[in-house]
Amino acid sequence: MELTDVEVEALGTRGYFTRPDFLGDVAALAARAEALARAESGVLHAAGIRRGAERTLDSRVRGDLIGWVEPEAGTGLGVLWEHFARLGQALSSAAYLGLGRFDLQLACYPGGGARYARHFDSFPGQSNRRATAIWYANEGWVPEHGGVLRLHPEGSAPVDVAPMLDTLVVFLSERIEHEVLPAHASRLALTAWYYGRDAG
Ligand SMILES: O=C(O)CCC(=O)C(=O)O
Ligand SMILES: [Fe+2]
């Protein structure tokens, strides 16, 4: 996988880029079907938030249900996992991010106004999450469904990303504050968090 010059430039100057067709139609529908089946099977659990040392549940801050995704060859989500692996390599070689391993999480916002309040995925100085890549699995998304990802790049106006099927968004975890606006329909996303190569 290669990043385009425009993507590399955007990541460096603005701290993010989007790509509308990460997997292609057939693979995107296969991955979506598996993500949906997993969400409907009831294996996802309410996401916690950290307040000081404590992990608490507060759906006003974060209303999604989550589960980790492991690499599984020959499945739709396995293909997505492979794409995220190649994306990490491309980010390292083209954008010099020095990324190592990543975690992949499936999140479902069940609708009913579920949201995720404004936050950073990591804080400067800690050698944890360096880059965030999110792939959306929402077929037939329309603006009335809500659940837009709002990026808050430092020093410029907010940018909204519609969570449409096969859209990828990549941003620097320490630089881009972001939030999920209230979702009025079920909203599926798969997020890869890439750690620095030197991270434990
Ligand atoms: O699903 C999204 O668009 C963003 C979710 C998010 O910010 C997170 O899980 O940290
Ligand atoms: Fe986030």
Side-chain angles (χ1 to χ4, degrees):
M1 177 174 324
E2 302 231 342
L3 301 185
T4 66
D5 292 346
V6 171
E7 289 170 341
V8 175
E9 165 81 8
L11 199 60
T13 58
R14 290 195 276 273
Y16 71 92
F17 71 83
T18 60
R19 190 189 278 197
D21 51 359
F22 188 47
L23 297 185
D25 290 349
V26 174
L29 285 169
R32 168 191 156 75
E34 290 177 18
L36 185 61
R38 210 172 276 206
E40 287 178 344
S41 76
V43 295
L44 303 183
H45 58 270
I49 46 167
R50 261 175 221 289
R51 287 248 171 86
E54 284 171 34
R55 182 177 170 282
T56 59
L57 293 176
D58 185 344
S59 65
R60 289 163 304 178
V61 175
R62 179 167 189 186
D64 56 335
L65 302 165
I66 57 169
W68 297 109
V69 175
E70 301 298 335
E72 226 183 298
T75 67
L77 288 175
V79 169
L80 178 63
W81 196 95
E82 279 299 327
H83 271 69
F84 275 125
R86 279 183 246 131
L87 174 67
Q89 288 159 10
L91 290 166
S92 291
S93 56
Y96 307 104
L97 289 185
L99 304 179
R101 57 177 286 272
F102 65 91
D103 289 328
L104 184 57
Q105 182 181 80
L106 168 62
C108 176
Y109 291 74
R115 61 193 292 267
Y116 193 162
R118 189 168 165 164
H119 66 280
F120 285 103
D121 284 350
S122 78
F123 299 98
Q126 292 178 296
S127 66
N128 52 12
R129 293 165 169 178
R130 287 276 169 72
T132 302
I134 310 172
W135 180 82
Y136 296 109
N138 305 299
E139 201 182 7
W141 180 89
V142 291
E144 294 70 45
H145 290 169
V148 158
L149 172 69
R150 179 162 290 171
L151 305 176
H152 296 277
E154 217 185 350
S156 56
V159 175
D160 287 350
V161 180
M164 284 165 45
L165 180 64
D166 213 19
T167 294
L168 176 79
V169 55
V170 177
F171 57 84
L172 302 176
S173 314
E174 297 154 317
R175 252 178 74 180
I176 301 289
E177 206 172 8
H178 56 281
E179 63 188 307
V180 177
L181 300 189
H184 306 299
S186 175
R187 174 197 194 271
L188 293 169
L190 284 121
T191 300
W193 286 287
Y194 297 89
Y195 294 81
R197 212 166 264 156
D198 49 356

